[in-house]
């Protein structure tokens, strides 16, 4: 019995033969009959699997990443061949009622095969060329990671050429380039995965026990997902991005478990930086994310993503067809809310760390994502009389709106789509700062009195561009681990101690949705500021015990739901006390949002 591939091959051969020998109507016998084929792989697209960046913890990373990335890599973004054939038939039907019946069309593999009167075949090929020109135009993405000094500030949306001016004065650590097309995400990365002994389980049976080391991977390097979008009636581009970057803060240490016949546990400290960000830029412009602050508290980096269109085919004809991008409105990337682990102890979680991060599906009633059906309905109202009279046809697929018909009606559709994009894709710069205020000398207490309120030094400063209405998150700090408990396993005549290892995090995490209001700007913000000032060692005191390394974690959470004054800092409140270079400081958290365009 023939296999599936053989059957597909036989079907394709039969289909091609049918096209070549299919008779034409009597009225078409005087026309020249031709058979043509053309590639359409760029039109229908192909799915390329992407490696997902580590999400949240960089001490629990693995080479495949996790599926929690805010950039959707599994969405249906390709255009089905049948949709392309339908567009050709609709266009032929607008020029000649009989044209669809006398023109044979089929997609075989990655090529479109056409047969029929020369005029109809040439028209069909012009339609496909117009679709290809709109859809398949490459977009080049460049990613750059720079190391910067404490205290520097940067714009988050750069015009064309501005990044080239900045590069000579910045210390570039990494760069990468990729080519994609509108609505298709791409990945840029340089990664190192280092194995380490995080924990050790125990196996106990009758009178025997054995330690079983738990091996994890540390992620170091940079990994970025970028989803660029062309915009109608403009050379501008929109970008939805997720970046992860960092490295070991110090040489990895090893701590004795204090348990007989058990290996030592590694205790890495890694600089952990995450950012989901987005914005609208001019062709050749760039988006910048800046993570900075005190060197002992984390990294000082700038991640820049530059995008530009390349190449454009010279159109030989101009069929009455408009192919308009809409993927920036309909993409489901950057639609999930990311939040930190709950602040509690017990089996459900630990107050020592914000990890694991969690994602919740964003409320569809408030998100800025437009459903494709809703978008077509909105555009149909603009040309409703002409639509009813058959003067224009509207459809959508693969992140593009297709309008076939009179030029005036197509122009109305394009103008409406441009207006929607201008209103939906507004960009702002969002900045979070954790400041250090000197405090009066006092004993180690939870609360401390501020000594003065002058120019404060920033412990953490994170600035990122955001598209209004879409959820984003940023993270900057140091991640490590600690042994906070010892479990005991007992079986008949054997017993063994089992260390309980948890993550610790000192740094800033913020989840934010900036939106416009009738009065200006508003935001839904959750900020989590953590500090681990000390880890206390408690040596084993019993035969079957183990060494404990108990962290003390100061953790403050801030919630804001409401309006903001554009361009002005909003003070969110105090965030505990830390000791830096033997001097005690009170932490103060603030944020601001500045509209860009």
């Amino acid at each position: 019995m023939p296999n599936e591939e053989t059957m597909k091959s036989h079907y394709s051969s039969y289909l091609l033969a049918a096209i070549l020998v299919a008779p034409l109507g009597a009225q078409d016998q005087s026309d020249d009959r031709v058979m043509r084929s053309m590639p359409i792989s760029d039109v229908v697209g192909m799915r390329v699997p992407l490696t997902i960046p580590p999400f949240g913890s960089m001490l629990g990373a693995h080479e495949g990443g996790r599926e929690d990335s805010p950039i959707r890599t599994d969405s249906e973004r390709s255009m089905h061949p049948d949709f392309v054939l339908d567009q050709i038939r609709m266009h032929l039907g607008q020029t000649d009622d009989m044209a669809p019946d006398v023109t044979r069309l089929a997609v075989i593999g990655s090529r479109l095969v056409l047969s029929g009167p020369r005029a109809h075949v040439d028209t069909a090929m012009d339609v496909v060329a117009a679709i290809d020109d709109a859809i398949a135009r490459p977009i080049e993405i460049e990613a750059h990671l720079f190391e910067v000094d404490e205290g520097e500030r940067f714009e988050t949306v750069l015009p064309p050429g501005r990044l080239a001016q900045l590069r000579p004065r910045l210390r570039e650590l990494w760069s990468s380039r990729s080519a994609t097309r509108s609505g298709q995400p791409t990945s840029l990365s340089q990664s190192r995965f280092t194995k380490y002994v995080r924990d050790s389980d125990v196996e106990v049976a009758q009178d025997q026990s054995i330690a079983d080391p738990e091996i994890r991977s540390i992620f170091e390097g940079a990994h970025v997902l970028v989803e660029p979008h062309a915009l109608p009636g403009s050379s501008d581009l929109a970008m939805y991005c997720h970046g992860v970057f960092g490295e070991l803060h110090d040489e990895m240490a090893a701590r004795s478990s204090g348990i007989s016949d058990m290996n030592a546990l590694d205790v890495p400290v890694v600089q952990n930086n995450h950012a989901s960000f987005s914005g609208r830029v001019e062709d050749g412009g760039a988006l910048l994310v800046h993570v900075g602050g005190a060197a002992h508290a984390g990294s000082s980096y700038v991640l820049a993503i530059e995008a530009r269109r390349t190449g454009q085919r010279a159109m030989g004809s101009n069929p009455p067809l408009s192919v308009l991008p809409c993927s920036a409105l309909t993409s489901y990337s950057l639609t999930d809310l990311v939040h930190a682990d709950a602040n509690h102890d017990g089996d459900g979680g630990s107050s020592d760390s914000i990890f694991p991060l969690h994602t919740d599906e964003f409320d569809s009633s408030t998100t800025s994502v437009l459903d494709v059906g809703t978008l077509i309905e909105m555009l149909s109202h603009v040309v409703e009389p002409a639509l009813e009279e058959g003067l224009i046809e509207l459809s959508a697929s693969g992140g593009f709106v297709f309008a076939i018909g009179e030029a005036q009606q197509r122009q109305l559709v394009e103008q409406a789509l441009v207006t929607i994009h201008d209103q939906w894709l507004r960009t702002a710069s969002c900045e979070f700062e954790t400041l250090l205020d000197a405090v009066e000398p006092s004993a180690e207490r939870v609360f401390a009195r501020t000594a003065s309120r002058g120019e404060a030094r920033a412990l953490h400063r994170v600035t990122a561009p955001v598209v209004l209405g879409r959820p984003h998150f940023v993270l900057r700090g140091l991640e490590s681990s600690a042994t906070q408990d010892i479990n005991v396993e007992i079986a008949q005549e054997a017993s063994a101690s089992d260390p309980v290892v948890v993550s610790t995090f000192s740094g800033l995490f913020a989840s934010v949705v900036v939106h416009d209001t009738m009065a200006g700007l508003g935001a839904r913000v959750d900020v989590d500021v953590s500090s681990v000032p000390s880890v206390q060692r408690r040596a084993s005191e019993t035969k079957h015990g183990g060494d404990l390394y108990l962290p003390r974690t100061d953790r403050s959470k801030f919630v804001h739901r409401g309006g903001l004054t554009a361009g002005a800092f909003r003070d969110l409140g105090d965030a505990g006390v830390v000791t830096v270079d033997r001097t005690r400081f009170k932490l103060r958290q603030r944020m601001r949002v500045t509209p860009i365009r």
Side-chain angles (χ1 to χ4, degrees):
M1 182 175 180
N3 59 31
E4 184 178 353
E5 292 300 323
T6 302
M7 294 180 65
K8 286 183 178 179
S9 177
H10 289 195
Y11 175 75
S12 298
S13 301
Y14 170 78
L15 194 59
L16 180 60
I19 290 176
L20 293 175
V21 302
L24 299 174
Q27 61 179 0
D28 297 305
Q29 295 299 324
S30 59
D31 294 336
D32 292 335
R33 183 182 180 187
V34 297
M35 192 279 287
R36 298 280 188 269
S37 72
M38 61 191 304
I40 61 166
S41 57
D42 280 345
V43 174
V44 297
M46 59 186 72
R47 286 196 62 178
V48 178
L50 297 176
T51 301
I52 308 299
F55 180 78
S57 172
M58 292 169 69
L59 295 183
H62 55 89
E63 290 78 350
R66 285 177 54 186
E67 294 301 323
D68 301 78
S69 174
I71 303 300
R72 298 290 181 87
T73 61
D74 57 348
S75 300
E76 183 57 49
R77 305 169 190 272
S78 59
M79 195 170 297
H80 197 276
D82 288 345
F83 180 85
V84 178
L85 298 181
D86 289 341
Q87 296 303 305
I88 298 172
R89 293 188 182 102
M90 280 195 295
H91 182 77
L92 291 174
Q94 295 242 342
T95 58
D96 183 343
D97 291 342
M98 296 298 298
D101 297 328
V102 298
T103 307
R104 309 292 186 258
L105 307 170
V107 175
I108 302 176
S110 62
R111 300 189 70 85
L112 171 67
V113 181
L114 313 90
S115 176
R118 183 185 302 273
H120 297 337
V121 170
D122 289 344
T123 298
M125 294 182 70
D126 286 341
V127 171
V128 177
I131 296 174
D132 180 87
D133 184 59
I135 291 176
R137 185 176 177 185
I139 299 175
E140 285 195 357
I141 303 296
E142 289 192 17
H144 304 270
L145 186 66
F146 304 98
E147 188 176 37
V148 297
D149 296 326
E150 182 180 342
E152 290 194 80
R153 292 180 179 271
F154 298 88
E155 302 172 87
T156 56
V157 177
L158 301 184
R162 177 62 176 151
L163 183 59
Q165 296 173 358
L166 288 176
R167 289 180 67 181
R169 73 177 182 87
L170 301 177
R171 300 184 296 278
E172 187 163 358
L173 302 177
W174 166 75
S175 67
S176 183
R177 294 165 183 81
S178 178
T180 184
R181 67 189 217 188
S182 180
Q184 300 286 342
T186 188
S187 177
L188 308 96
S189 70
Q190 177 182 323
S191 305
R192 172 187 292 172
F193 294 91
T194 303
K195 302 295 184 182
Y196 74 105
V197 181
R198 175 181 173 85
D199 199 352
S200 189
D201 295 331
V202 294
E203 300 292 337
V204 180
Q206 296 182 6
D207 59 349
Q208 298 292 327
S209 65
I210 189 171
D212 181 12
E214 179 185 333
I215 309 300
R216 295 283 188 91
S217 292
I218 299 169
F219 170 84
E220 296 178 86
H223 197 148
V224 184
L225 284 179
V226 181
E227 183 182 281
H229 300 274
L231 305 180
S234 172
S235 62
D236 289 358
L237 296 166
M239 287 190 284
Y240 301 153
C241 312
H242 176 211
V244 181
F245 43 100
E247 59 185 347
L248 281 170
H249 188 65
D250 292 306
E251 187 175 347
M252 194 184 317
R255 289 177 181 163
S256 170
S257 63
I259 301 173
S260 177
D261 297 327
M262 182 174 287
N263 50 274
L265 305 181
D266 293 325
V267 185
V269 179
V270 65
Q271 299 172 356
N272 190 342
N273 304 280
H274 275 65
S276 60
F277 56 101
S278 61
R280 178 172 177 169
V281 299
E282 298 177 62
D283 189 8
L287 297 179
L288 263 66
V289 171
H290 176 211
V291 296
H296 74 274
S299 311
S300 290
Y301 292 144
V302 164
L303 175 65
I305 308 296
E306 192 174 41
R308 65 173 58 85
R309 299 189 188 200
T310 60
Q312 187 170 15
R313 187 182 65 82
M315 290 287 294
S317 62
N318 188 22
L321 168 69
S322 295
V323 183
L324 307 170
C326 67
S327 57
L329 299 175
T330 60
S331 171
Y332 277 86
S333 291
L334 299 183
T335 55
D336 293 337
L337 285 168
V338 179
H339 58 88
D341 196 23
N343 191 3
H344 67 273
D345 283 313
D347 294 338
S350 169
S351 62
D352 300 328
S353 177
I354 65 172
F355 302 119
L357 298 181
H358 302 278
T359 57
D360 290 337
E361 186 174 345
F362 196 38
D363 186 356
S364 59
S365 65
T366 57
T367 183
S368 62
V369 177
L370 268 178
D371 178 73
V372 173
T374 302
L375 179 61
I376 291 297
E377 186 177 355
M378 293 168 64
L379 297 175
S380 298
H381 285 304
V382 177
V383 291
E384 190 169 7
L387 198 64
E388 293 177 352
E389 296 174 12
L391 301 178
I392 188 170
E393 297 282 348
L394 295 178
S395 55
S397 180
F400 290 85
V401 171
F402 291 76
I404 298 177
E406 293 183 348
Q408 182 180 3
Q409 302 301 323
R410 289 186 285 116
Q411 186 175 8
L412 290 175
V413 171
E414 182 174 2
Q415 290 173 350
L417 198 56
V418 168
T419 299
I420 296 172
H421 277 78
D422 289 343
Q423 294 176 351
W424 254 254
L425 296 179
R426 296 177 57 197
T427 307
S429 177
C430 195
E431 184 174 358
F432 294 93
E433 284 188 342
T434 307
L435 302 179
L436 296 169
D437 290 324
V439 298
E440 295 179 352
S442 61
E444 285 285 320
R445 301 177 59 186
V446 174
F447 306 107
R449 184 176 299 171
T450 303
S452 63
R453 182 63 67 88
E455 182 64 27
R457 179 185 175 191
L459 182 66
H460 304 291
R461 178 181 290 122
V462 180
T463 309
V466 299
V467 167
L468 271 59
R470 288 185 181 256
H472 300 78
F473 81 99
V474 294
L475 182 155
R476 186 241 185 196
L478 301 177
E479 183 184 4
S480 187
S481 61
T483 304
Q484 74 165 14
D485 199 358
I486 300 288
N487 290 333
V488 179
E489 303 289 339
I490 300 176
Q492 294 184 5
E493 300 180 10
S495 64
S497 299
D498 184 5
V500 178
V501 178
V502 297
S503 293
T504 65
F505 179 75
S506 295
L508 167 71
F509 169 84
S511 178
V512 58
V513 182
V514 180
H515 56 87
D516 49 4
T517 67
M518 296 298 292
L521 288 177
R524 284 163 284 176
V525 182
D526 291 279
V527 179
D528 197 309
V529 180
S530 303
S531 174
V532 183
S534 64
V535 177
Q536 180 183 13
R537 179 176 180 264
R538 294 291 299 272
S540 173
E541 299 177 353
T542 63
K543 177 181 177 181
H544 296 292
D547 291 349
L548 296 174
Y549 296 87
L550 305 176
R552 193 193 86 188
T553 303
D554 296 329
R555 190 169 173 187
S556 300
K557 294 181 70 69
F558 305 92
V559 177
H560 176 80
R561 304 284 190 270
L564 295 170
T565 301
F569 276 109
R570 180 176 182 87
D571 208 325
L572 298 179
D574 295 335
V577 179
V578 297
T579 300
V580 180
D581 297 331
R582 298 184 180 181
T583 303
R584 299 185 71 226
F585 294 91
K586 175 181 283 188
L587 299 182
R588 175 164 50 95
Q589 185 64 43
R590 66 179 187 174
M591 67 168 292
R592 70 174 169 184
V593 176
T594 304
I596 298 176
R597 53 181 307 178

